[in-house]
Amino acid sequence: MMNSMNVPSKRSTLERKLDKLILALFATLFLMCLIGAIGSGIFINRKYYYLGLEGKVEDRQFDPSNRFVVVILTMFTLITLFSTIIPISLYVSIEGIKFIQSIKFINQDLNMYHAETNTPALARTSNLNEELGQVEYIFTDKTGTLTRNLMEFFKCTIGGEVYGTGITEIERGIAQRNGVEPAEERKSANAVHEKGFNFDDVRLMRGAWRNEPNPDLCKEFFRCLAICHTVLPEGDESPEKILYQAASPDEAALVTAAKNFGFFFYRRTPTLIYVRESHVEKMGHVQDVPYEILNVLEFNSTRKRQSVVCRYPEGRLVLYCKGADSVIYERLAEGNDDLRKVTREHLEQFGSSGLRTLCLAYRNLSADMYETWNEKFIQAKSSLQDRERKLDEVAELIEKDLILIGATAIEDKLQEGVPACIETLSEAGIKIWVLTGDKMETAINIAYACNLINNDMKQLIISSDTDEIREVEDRGDPVETACFIKEAVKTDLKKCLGDAQQYLHTVSGPKLALVIDGKCLMYALDPSLRGMLLHLSLNCSSVVCCRVSPLQKAQVTTLVKKSAKKITLSIGDGANDVSMIQAAHVGIGISGLEGMQAVMASDFAIAQFRFLTDLLLVHGRWSYIRVSKVVMYFFYKNLTFTLTQFWFMFQAGFSGQRFYDDWFQACYNVLFTSLPVLMLGLFDKDVSASLSKKYPQLYMEGLKNVYFRWSVVAVYAFFSVYQSLVFYYFVTISGSSPQSSSGKMLGLWDISTMAFTCVVTTVNLRLLMSCNNITRWHHISVWGSILAWFIFIFIYSGIMTKHDRQENVFWSIYILMSTSYFYLTIILVPIVALVGDFLYQGVQRWFFPYDYQIIQERHRHEPDDTSGARLLQIDNHLTPEEARSYAIAQLPQQRSKHTGFAFDSPGYESFFAAQVGVFAPQKAWDVARRASVMRTRSRKQRKS
């Protein structure tokens, strides 16, 4: 609850800019209407006798004696007439396009399908598709996001002695970076390796710990692992078959380690924990010991520790505590400085190896002390107000004067493809920040392992783990400590900012990486230092924040989002990442091993971090380009159509006379230009998916907002004005002479029908010029829309009923098509209208090409990877079995008629599989169902 945030309502940045464009169109509409209204007030005059304005005029809109009323009424008339400039259907079209993009393209992309867990990508919202193409900052958790979240007990330190002989992936990477051949890992003959346990050291296994210099501490260490937890055992009470259900993989790994060390936790009741202890009294002796659990002080992100008060069978009262070294060391009893110093060195050694560490400690309690404390604990637990705060305060009373036992070191390996993914995203201009609760040494080495930091970077480190800060903390004055750390952080920020400016001003200066811990970050987020932190962070290529709480993750994300005005993306896999996911513009949840909280709070869900490459560089980039083109095309076609009516206004004496028939105006956006723009938004593709990932620099076009800026709007507006002038004046001037031997002139509705035909034809052909690849769907939609106009006008102008206004265009198309004027105009006008676009695009492509146009030229003779089979070959090689598993998962499902309401079986799965060319063996329920159907049919035939 302390780290929770209100669920935000998210809209993409492009949508917000679209709102500004709509406001600009409203301003243009107002200006056009104002010009027409003022012109009407000036034009209305009794000297135009043919207008019938002599004497009293009944229509107040044309009354020369009251020009102010004329201006006002004409203003409202023109607002109705020019309202087509506002693309009302734009939002509906965009939502439809983005919805189909989500369910058909993102959700069904095999490159983002994880075969091991049978998990495809999931777009949980369609509002933010194009936002994926403009992300500049990624904030990521480490555990379960960059790593697999498969915890294995790897090493430990007990009483100042390190145990465990394994070599981690990080240690191998460090050796390779230093040019040293990593040492070969030698496993002992009796080494045990199971899920959660990858420890090898004969000194602790099979009771050998009894021969160590500190056997009593070893015993306390193992009992702390076996007792201090909230794990639930399941299955048979045997070491080989038991299963542990834990709140986190770390806890399960620690209990599994205790089992392999001879302290087997096998049963839990509400008040007791049963541990089968081996080799305690003597070698080979096994005994079942019940420990009474009196109190459990649970772990949370603020406490960063967990404690259990238990009673031994002989009556001994003990508090076992495990947690982060920063909180455990603050609560240790005085004395035993040597052990504390050695253990701290071991912790730094484990952190440098990329291991997750926890400190273990205990405290012996007297009966009187415990009874006094327990009364306060019960009172706090039964409190109805501020229960969490009161429990934390009571816990502080007993979690002190602890005796250090040692520390555990757990390995969590990197996910597959993470280093390559981060390197690719960095080349795309995206900056990645790691926000983790791990130690600084662990976080730095993980950053090295996943290519976030390299040896060529200059590291700027702001840490609270200094001798000066420790000395002030030891005095015990919280006010003095806070003031001192704040000043130290301020000094470090100024120093790092000065160094950063110095490096950035050099010609070939190194890239910068900032590393800061949670305690310093807490003070750096203070309003007085926040600006300095932001300025420093934005100058760094990578940022690593260690020992941070979930709330701090959200605060850092919000700082960059709101203060720097950058588009942010947060990705995590656990409940502690929810606030960070909700704070960013785009939230990505990884469906890992820590539940579904992150996925349920996210906008998109993927199974592996490496799938970000496809999600951002392929789908995000395509969506941004497509939606931008759709918006610009809507703007262009509506402005072009409305401006022809605007030019006619000057010839009609600003009277508000309409140029087009009402049905033309009503159907323009609905029938004659709607389908092609949908095809543009769904199928336009500048380069293939493989080239998008091969050249990640293409993504920078989205960061610079190349396709949706005011300069692009100005270009489209210029050609709209040009084409509208061509449509109106070419058609009206060429149609002003007699078109038949009888000398009859074409009327207003004949000219407007001709102009509308040219508009529909041209704006649809203009769409083909906007496409990078033209598919059969583009041809069907464009030529189908033009054909729909002709079918409509043939029917509409050939039928007339009484008391309607259809006599305006009655028989007009047939009259037009009987003249050569129609055929010359329908060919020449679109050519003249589009020649400007053709020349502009040609000059732009030859002399000022976009990056994607250069890539197109380089790979113009290569086949496109549009098929699903080709997509499978890109960066994610699925085996035939994996591809078949995914294909079967996507097959239609049907509820079985023979299994009851509560059971859901995939009916006719083999049939649907055969339809898509995937082999799926027949299931028992398929055979039974068909047999049942055959019996039913045979009975009916007998009866008949």
Side-chain angles (χ1 to χ4, degrees):
M1 294 299 292
M2 295 176 65
N3 294 285
S4 62
M5 298 178 64
N6 294 327
V7 179
S9 176
K10 296 183 180 181
R11 293 184 70 211
S12 70
T13 306
L14 192 144
E15 277 191 6
R16 293 190 179 94
K17 293 179 179 177
L18 174 59
D19 293 341
K20 296 179 181 178
L21 178 59
I22 298 298
L23 291 175
L25 288 176
F26 271 108
T28 305
L29 172 62
F30 178 79
L31 180 62
M32 292 166 60
C33 295
L34 184 62
I35 293 172
I38 295 174
S40 176
I42 297 172
F43 181 83
I44 291 296
N45 198 311
R46 297 187 190 275
K47 68 180 181 179
Y48 301 112
Y49 61 91
Y50 50 83
L51 296 179
L53 301 178
E54 300 294 333
K56 185 178 181 180
V57 180
E58 294 184 2
D59 192 345
R60 300 183 65 186
Q61 185 175 346
F62 305 104
D63 186 1
S65 61
N66 195 344
R67 296 179 184 272
F68 178 76
V69 175
V70 171
V71 170
I72 298 300
L73 294 179
T74 304
M75 184 79 173
F76 285 106
T77 301
L78 294 178
I79 287 175
T80 305
L81 195 61
F82 297 153
S83 63
T84 52
I85 196 175
I86 308 300
I88 299 174
S89 60
L90 172 60
Y91 286 98
V92 178
S93 299
I94 288 179
E95 288 303 318
I97 288 170
K98 293 197 290 187
F99 177 72
I100 296 174
Q101 286 175 351
S102 298
I103 64 172
K104 287 297 181 182
F105 300 155
I106 295 178
N107 291 2
Q108 298 186 13
D109 186 356
L110 290 179
N111 285 320
M112 295 192 291
Y113 167 69
H114 192 233
E116 294 178 10
T117 58
N118 192 26
T119 307
L122 176 63
R124 302 188 69 251
T125 179
S126 60
N127 288 344
L128 305 172
N129 292 0
E130 68 276 16
E131 197 86 328
L132 293 171
Q134 295 183 277
V135 172
E136 192 167 352
Y137 285 86
I138 293 178
F139 300 91
T140 175
D141 178 39
K142 183 186 78 68
T143 304
T145 305
L146 299 177
T147 61
R148 300 178 186 178
N149 205 15
L150 297 175
M151 307 299 178
E152 292 183 333
F153 189 94
F154 199 74
K155 289 184 179 182
C156 64
T157 172
I158 306 174
E161 188 73 25
V162 173
Y163 298 94
T165 59
I167 301 175
T168 66
E169 289 181 343
I170 306 300
E171 288 175 312
R172 296 180 189 278
I174 294 173
Q176 291 175 358
R177 287 198 304 273
N178 296 331
V180 180
E181 188 69 23
E184 294 186 5
E185 185 176 356
R186 296 181 179 180
K187 290 279 187 181
S188 63
N190 297 324
V192 178
H193 189 185
E194 65 172 286
K195 181 181 178 181
F197 189 76
N198 186 19
F199 179 87
D200 182 25
D201 196 327
V202 295
R203 293 177 295 171
L204 293 187
M205 305 301 293
R206 292 175 173 80
W209 55 268
R210 291 174 56 86
N211 301 322
E212 287 299 294
N214 45 14
D216 291 334
L217 272 183
C218 289
K219 192 190 308 179
E220 296 292 352
F221 182 89
F222 301 145
R223 282 176 175 163
C224 183
L225 295 182
I227 296 173
C228 185
H229 58 77
T230 56
V231 175
L232 296 175
E234 290 184 355
D236 294 339
E237 295 179 355
S238 63
E240 297 80 15
K241 297 182 179 180
I242 197 165
L243 297 174
Y244 291 127
Q245 298 296 330
S248 68
D250 301 73
E251 277 210 321
L254 295 177
V255 177
T256 302
K259 178 187 73 173
N260 284 282
F261 288 135
F263 289 72
F264 172 38
F265 160 62
Y266 64 92
R267 188 187 306 164
R268 176 189 285 274
T269 68
T271 57
L272 293 174
I273 277 183
Y274 292 87
V275 179
R276 188 167 296 156
E277 299 181 352
S278 304
H279 317 297
V280 175
E281 301 297 332
K282 60 181 180 179
M283 289 295 294
H285 181 261
V286 179
Q287 59 181 352
D288 291 344
V289 183
Y291 293 95
E292 185 181 358
I293 304 301
L294 302 176
N295 307 93
V296 177
L297 307 178
E298 296 182 357
F299 175 90
N300 61 45
S301 58
T302 305
R303 283 169 40 79
K304 297 181 181 179
R305 63 190 182 276
Q306 179 186 34
S307 299
V308 167
V309 179
C310 67
R311 178 182 281 120
Y312 279 46
E314 66 272 17
R316 178 191 175 196
L317 286 172
V318 183
L319 167 77
Y320 285 115
C321 183
K322 65 181 181 185
D325 57 310
S326 57
V327 295
I328 296 296
Y329 266 67
E330 292 174 351
R331 290 160 178 80
L332 294 179
E334 295 292 333
N336 212 352
D337 294 335
D338 292 339
L339 176 60
R340 297 167 65 171
K341 182 178 179 181
V342 172
T343 303
R344 187 183 290 276
E345 292 175 357
H346 293 164
L347 288 169
E348 293 176 358
Q349 177 185 331
F350 294 155
S352 300
S353 302
L355 299 173
R356 297 164 56 86
T357 58
L358 278 178
C359 283
L360 274 59
Y362 75 99
R363 180 187 181 187
N364 291 313
L365 305 175
S366 65
D368 294 339
M369 177 197 303
Y370 171 73
E371 291 297 333
T372 303
W373 174 84
N374 192 40
E375 291 178 2
K376 298 178 181 178
F377 178 80
I378 294 174
Q379 185 177 358
K381 197 171 184 179
S382 59
S383 177
L384 298 178
Q385 294 182 346
D386 297 332
R387 182 183 302 167
E388 296 294 331
R389 180 183 60 81
K390 292 178 180 179
L391 284 173
D392 290 348
E393 291 175 354
V394 172
E396 291 286 348
L397 299 177
I398 198 170
E399 290 175 331
K400 61 182 182 179
D401 298 332
L402 302 176
I403 300 173
L404 182 64
I405 303 173
T408 62
I410 292 178
E411 183 181 25
D412 186 14
K413 295 181 180 179
L414 282 177
Q415 289 183 13
E416 179 186 352
V418 167
C421 175
I422 289 181
E423 185 176 359
T424 302
L425 295 177
S426 298
E427 291 177 5
I430 301 174
K431 297 181 179 179
I432 301 175
W433 295 21
V434 175
L435 311 178
T436 178
D438 286 340
K439 288 173 60 64
M440 181 172 289
E441 294 81 5
T442 305
I444 291 175
N445 283 285
I446 289 292
Y448 269 108
C450 61
N451 290 340
L452 190 64
I453 299 177
N454 55 52
N455 289 333
D456 296 330
M457 286 185 172
K458 172 63 178 177
Q459 292 184 28
L460 306 174
I461 298 178
I462 301 177
S463 173
S464 61
D465 190 14
T466 62
D467 294 334
E468 294 81 3
I469 292 178
R470 284 200 208 102
E471 183 179 344
V472 174
E473 288 178 337
D474 291 340
R475 296 174 192 163
D477 187 348
V479 176
E480 181 188 3
T481 302
C483 294
F484 185 85
I485 296 178
K486 185 175 180 179
E487 282 299 317
V489 170
K490 184 177 181 179
T491 303
D492 288 344
L493 283 173
K494 287 183 178 179
K495 180 178 181 300
C496 291
L497 193 56
D499 294 343
Q501 296 294 338
Q502 181 180 354
Y503 286 117
L504 291 173
H505 285 133
T506 57
V507 177
S508 58
K511 291 184 177 180
L512 304 177
L514 173 64
V515 183
I516 183 171
D517 66 13
K519 190 176 290 185
C520 292
L521 183 63
M522 178 177 65
Y523 295 98
L525 289 172
D526 185 86
S528 60
L529 301 179
R530 189 179 300 167
M532 201 181 305
L533 172 66
L534 180 64
H535 188 40
L536 173 62
S537 302
L538 296 182
N539 287 325
C540 296
S541 300
S542 304
V543 176
V544 179
C545 300
C546 326
R547 291 298 193 199
V548 294
S549 67
L551 185 58
Q552 285 178 320
K553 292 181 180 181
Q555 289 173 338
V556 171
T557 305
T558 304
L559 177 66
V560 176
K561 175 183 176 181
K562 293 185 176 180
S563 300
K565 305 295 183 183
K566 304 292 185 180
I567 298 179
T568 58
L569 180 149
S570 292
I571 179 169
D573 72 315
N576 59 338
D577 302 316
V578 168
S579 55
M580 174 179 71
I581 288 172
Q582 292 178 343
H585 289 93
V586 182
I588 309 290
I590 288 187
S591 50
L593 302 178
E594 291 195 16
M596 297 295 289
Q597 294 97 326
V599 171
M600 297 303 293
S602 67
D603 306 304
F604 299 88
I606 54 179
Q608 296 280 288
F609 183 88
R610 68 177 185 271
F611 295 157
L612 270 184
T613 303
D614 286 274
L615 188 63
L616 298 184
L617 303 191
V618 179
H619 294 285
R621 184 174 167 276
W622 283 350
S623 296
Y624 164 70
I625 295 174
R626 289 166 178 170
V627 174
S628 297
K629 284 188 174 183
V630 167
V631 172
M632 291 301 167
Y633 180 75
F634 259 96
F635 168 75
Y636 150 77
K637 72 183 183 72
N638 282 35
L639 183 60
T640 302
F641 176 70
T642 307
L643 284 176
T644 56
Q645 176 74 59
F646 181 70
W647 306 134
F648 175 71
M649 177 187 68
F650 293 91
Q651 194 167 341
F654 307 97
S655 61
Q657 168 64 36
R658 56 197 173 90
F659 183 51
Y660 298 114
D661 183 82
D662 289 342
W663 280 100
F664 293 3
Q665 189 166 321
C667 296
Y668 177 73
N669 280 319
V670 178
L671 294 180
F672 309 136
T673 59
S674 61
L675 193 57
V677 76
L678 293 178
M679 298 304 106
L680 174 68
L682 291 176
F683 298 114
D684 187 55
K685 182 170 58 175
D686 55 353
V687 295
S688 64
S690 59
L691 292 178
S692 295
K693 292 183 284 188
K694 184 177 180 180
Y695 300 100
Q697 294 81 4
L698 291 173
Y699 190 82
M700 293 184 183
E701 294 177 341
L703 301 182
K704 299 173 184 176
N705 198 22
V706 169
Y707 302 106
F708 197 82
R709 53 174 61 169
W710 289 111
S711 59
V712 179
V713 174
V715 171
Y716 274 89
F718 171 79
F719 285 111
S720 292
V721 173
Y722 164 73
Q723 291 181 13
S724 64
L725 289 170
V726 170
F727 294 143
Y728 181 73
Y729 287 104
F730 270 53
V731 173
T732 55
I733 293 173
S734 61
S736 60
S737 58
Q739 302 297 325
S740 65
S741 58
S742 63
K744 288 185 177 181
M745 304 284 290
L746 294 177
L748 168 63
W749 305 111
D750 301 320
I751 295 295
S752 68
T753 301
M754 186 71 251
F756 191 83
T757 303
C758 292
V759 170
V760 171
T761 304
T762 304
V763 297
N764 280 295
L765 292 178
R766 173 64 178 81
L767 181 133
L768 293 178
M769 296 178 65
S770 300
C771 297
N772 287 293
N773 66 321
I774 301 176
T775 66
R776 65 179 182 272
W777 301 110
H778 292 86
H779 285 295
I780 291 172
S781 60
V782 169
W783 301 113
S785 297
I786 297 174
L787 180 62
W789 155 246
F790 281 103
I791 294 174
F792 169 82
I793 192 60
F794 285 153
I795 297 174
Y796 182 65
S797 65
I799 301 174
M800 183 174 67
T801 60
K802 295 181 179 180
H803 309 297
D804 63 9
R805 303 176 67 184
Q806 203 166 324
E807 67 272 9
N808 294 337
V809 294
F810 180 64
W811 218 247
S812 62
I813 190 65
Y814 300 99
I815 295 173
L816 285 170
M817 294 185 72
S818 66
T819 66
S820 60
Y821 159 76
F822 173 83
Y823 300 100
L824 286 173
T825 304
I826 198 64
I827 293 173
L828 294 178
V829 170
I831 292 176
V832 175
L834 292 176
V835 69
D837 291 89
F838 181 78
L839 293 175
Y840 172 79
Q841 292 188 12
V843 171
Q844 179 270 319
R845 188 177 185 95
W846 277 99
F847 299 103
F848 311 99
Y850 290 117
D851 293 340
Y852 78 86
Q853 292 172 335
I854 298 174
I855 303 302
Q856 285 176 341
E857 293 298 325
R858 291 184 61 179
H859 298 272
R860 62 187 303 177
H861 300 297
E862 295 181 7
D864 191 14
D865 56 347
T866 54
S867 66
R870 290 187 181 274
L871 284 175
L872 290 178
Q873 298 173 7
I874 306 168
D875 289 346
N876 186 16
H877 302 279
L878 296 184
T879 65
E881 283 296 320
E882 292 170 343
R884 171 182 165 276
S885 173
Y886 176 75
I888 291 177
Q890 299 299 312
L891 294 176
Q893 304 289 308
Q894 177 176 318
R895 191 176 296 280
S896 171
K897 298 178 181 178
H898 301 281
T899 51
F901 178 80
F903 300 93
D904 192 13
S905 63
Y908 301 105
E909 187 178 78
S910 57
F911 169 76
F912 286 119
Q915 297 298 307
V916 295
V918 179
F919 172 74
Q922 291 190 351
K923 302 295 177 64
W925 49 77
D926 283 342
V927 178
R929 184 183 293 111
R930 289 168 187 164
S932 175
V933 171
M934 292 300 294
R935 290 194 203 101
T936 306
R937 288 178 179 173
S938 61
R939 289 172 185 168
K940 291 182 178 179
Q941 290 174 357
R942 290 172 187 170
K943 290 180 180 178
S944 61

